[in-house]
Amino acid sequence: MTPWLNTTPNPDFSIYNLPFGIFSTEELSPRAGIAIGDQIVDLCEMGQQGYFADLGFDSWVFEQKTLNRFIGLGKKTTNKVRIRVQEWLCDEASPLAKHPAGLVAQSDVQMHLPVRVGDYTDFYSSIEHATNVGMMFRDPENALLPNWKHIPVGYHGRASSIIPSGIPIHRPKGQLMPKGADKPVYKASGRLDFELEMAFIIGKENELGEPVSTSEAEDYIFGMVVFNDWSARDIQKWEYVPLGPFLGKNFASSASPWVVTMEALAPFRVQGPAQDPPVLPYLEYEGLHNYDIHLSVSIETEDGTDNVVSQSNYKYMYWNMLQQLAHHTVNGCNMRIGDMLASGTISGKDASAYGSMLEISWSGSKPITLADGSTRTFIEDNDTVIMKGHAEKDGMRVGFGEVRTKVLPAK
């Protein structure tokens, strides 16, 4: 497929991708669009011109501030929209080519959170990450807890504090226990950390009391974003027993603004890690359901210097999305359109692929040196953390763009 539109070389947003997002400009209200190279196809504008009328839905869905209504039309319809835009971009005589107002430069827009997130769940599904944490804080010989290879461990997070790329966060404050102290103190976190994750977005609802099986789960997953689940490790360490993450996690999570569909990611399916011992029947699945998605994290210092600190891959995940969704709903929990389910920190086989500063600095014992000569064990004020992801194969590139977040001093 060759688009007639002149775009940036080797873009994340290729003709094979065409992710959905919500954008606005000084003149245009928030609306749905599709990214292609350095441009955006304004679905609202094209819908108002009647170019989707024959697909049997009201183009009003493109005028909304989130994609929820559009996603709720179902994959049969959302796929038709994506394919139609793909056809337009490959046809110089298409309605899009004849209607310049249907294209907007990405450099002129503000991106928004693509969906209204009703509920957010964070999993803990990288065996490398779980093993590293277990080695640091428990028994190096028995790093994994007894349940880890039997269930996709997860917890319910805070949906209200999920923010899009570009929105800064303030260093969180909370209660923590200083080393050697006999009582806790209230102060700003000194161990602010990123977590390299991906999140999938629910595109179909199940009724309360009706589990979603692994054979059905794929139909419930609309697409994916890159996800930074920020963590205050010192606050988390003091509070997490006995009920798990709370203030150490709920202050912010950052998501990339473009939702890459599962159809665009289909060519990049790969076999996941062998699961031993065998899983219970409700977690069994058939086919390839891991994805070869290259991921990177960099720290941009205040002077603008970019320092790559991690290069990992989503294919390493021990528990896949089908198993996560099946486990989440096996008790009858109901999913809603727009819900986000995050992977948990994605770490690889060696230190270059660790997905958090907790691992990279080995809980602060191994500082890393950046290009400007400064060192880091965790994230400092005025650092900007940038995460990127893309899949590439046989001349096809499907990327997520980036999720970029600057850390401001505590209020």
Side-chain angles (χ1 to χ4, degrees):
M1 291 182 286
T2 305
W4 49 264
L5 187 67
N6 289 325
T7 61
T8 53
N10 195 28
D12 274 357
F13 307 128
S14 69
I15 192 68
Y16 303 102
N17 189 354
L18 304 183
F20 293 93
I22 297 291
F23 73 96
S24 65
T25 70
E26 291 183 359
E27 296 79 24
L28 302 176
S29 60
R31 58 191 53 211
I34 282 180
I36 175 67
D38 56 5
Q39 301 289 308
I40 298 173
V41 177
D42 185 341
L43 295 176
C44 180
E45 171 66 24
M46 298 305 286
Q48 289 174 349
Q49 298 301 318
Y51 292 122
F52 298 109
D54 61 313
L55 297 186
F57 67 89
D58 191 333
S59 62
W60 166 84
V61 296
F62 295 136
E63 301 173 25
Q64 305 306 299
K65 294 181 179 180
T66 68
L67 293 171
N68 293 56
R69 296 278 190 176
F70 173 63
I71 292 173
L73 298 175
K75 284 192 175 188
K76 185 176 179 181
T77 298
T78 59
N79 287 342
K80 285 180 179 178
V81 170
R82 179 174 168 271
I83 291 169
R84 175 157 296 182
V85 171
Q86 194 172 57
E87 291 171 346
W88 285 347
L89 288 165
C90 294
D91 179 5
E92 292 189 56
S94 70
L96 184 60
K98 298 176 180 179
H99 192 69
L103 288 168
V104 181
Q106 289 194 36
S107 58
D108 294 337
V109 310
Q110 177 183 348
M111 296 303 300
H112 303 271
L113 198 65
V115 292
R116 181 179 64 257
V117 186
D119 280 296
Y120 157 56
T121 299
D122 190 32
F123 285 95
Y124 188 50
S125 291
S126 162
I127 194 169
E128 290 82 8
H129 174 65
T131 299
N132 288 338
V133 172
M135 290 174 65
M136 272 186 268
F137 300 117
R138 289 188 293 274
D139 179 1
E141 300 300 319
N142 295 285
L144 295 177
L145 291 169
N147 66 348
W148 200 91
K149 286 190 172 183
H150 294 278
I151 61 173
V153 175
Y155 71 94
H156 293 292
R158 183 73 184 178
S160 65
S161 53
I162 297 176
I163 56 177
S165 176
I167 304 298
I169 65 169
H170 286 272
R171 180 173 297 274
K173 292 180 178 179
Q175 191 177 129
L176 53 91
M177 177 68 82
K179 188 175 182 179
D182 58 1
K183 60 181 180 180
V185 298
Y186 168 73
K187 62 183 296 186
S189 170
R191 291 191 154 207
L192 181 60
D193 200 359
F194 62 78
E195 291 194 353
L196 173 61
E197 305 193 20
M198 298 198 72
F200 65 90
I201 293 172
I202 294 297
K204 180 180 176 180
E205 299 186 349
N206 63 308
E207 295 292 333
L208 182 66
E210 295 294 330
V212 176
S213 69
T214 55
S215 62
E216 300 168 320
E218 199 162 12
D219 196 37
Y220 286 77
I221 301 171
F222 176 73
M224 301 186 73
V225 295
V226 179
F227 198 80
N228 182 355
D229 189 31
W230 292 94
S231 295
R233 299 297 185 185
D234 39 9
I235 297 173
Q236 181 182 5
K237 183 179 179 180
W238 172 237
E239 73 180 2
Y240 84 102
V241 179
L243 293 180
F246 188 38
L247 300 188
K249 301 282 260 182
N250 71 1
F251 59 94
S253 297
S254 305
S256 57
W258 292 105
V259 183
V260 177
T261 66
M262 300 316 297
E263 290 72 29
L265 291 170
F268 309 101
R269 293 173 183 263
V270 292
Q271 182 67 52
Q275 296 183 330
D276 183 30
V279 299
L280 291 173
Y282 79 94
L283 291 170
E284 293 175 351
Y285 66 95
E286 295 181 356
L288 304 178
H289 295 287
N290 278 48
Y291 292 82
D292 185 4
I293 301 172
H294 304 276
L295 300 166
S296 69
V297 185
S298 60
I299 298 173
E300 184 180 278
T301 49
E302 200 165 8
D303 65 1
T305 304
D306 187 81
N307 303 266
V308 177
V309 297
S310 176
Q311 296 190 72
S312 191
N313 197 299
Y314 186 64
K315 68 183 180 183
Y316 297 133
M317 300 306 294
Y318 187 88
W319 297 103
N320 63 47
M321 289 181 281
L322 307 190
Q323 294 175 310
Q324 290 168 342
L325 184 54
H327 183 67
H328 200 318
T329 63
V330 72
N331 64 347
C333 176
N334 57 314
M335 296 285 111
R336 293 181 294 185
I337 291 166
D339 287 356
M340 278 192 182
L341 282 68
S343 60
T345 303
I346 304 167
S347 293
K349 305 295 183 182
D350 57 52
S352 69
Y354 290 167
S356 65
M357 289 301 295
L358 178 68
E359 297 163 89
I360 293 168
S361 72
W362 209 252
S363 192
S365 66
K366 298 178 180 180
I368 61 171
T369 302
L370 304 185
D372 63 0
S374 64
T375 60
R376 294 291 186 279
T377 52
F378 291 92
I379 301 303
E380 301 291 340
D381 289 349
N382 300 310
D383 284 347
T384 298
V385 175
I386 305 162
M387 295 182 176
K388 299 179 181 180
H390 76 274
E392 197 160 10
K393 175 184 177 183
D394 299 333
M396 296 183 292
R397 183 182 173 105
V398 170
F400 291 79
E402 66 178 24
V403 53
R404 168 187 293 262
T405 315
K406 184 173 184 177
V407 175
L408 304 177
K411 287 187 173 180

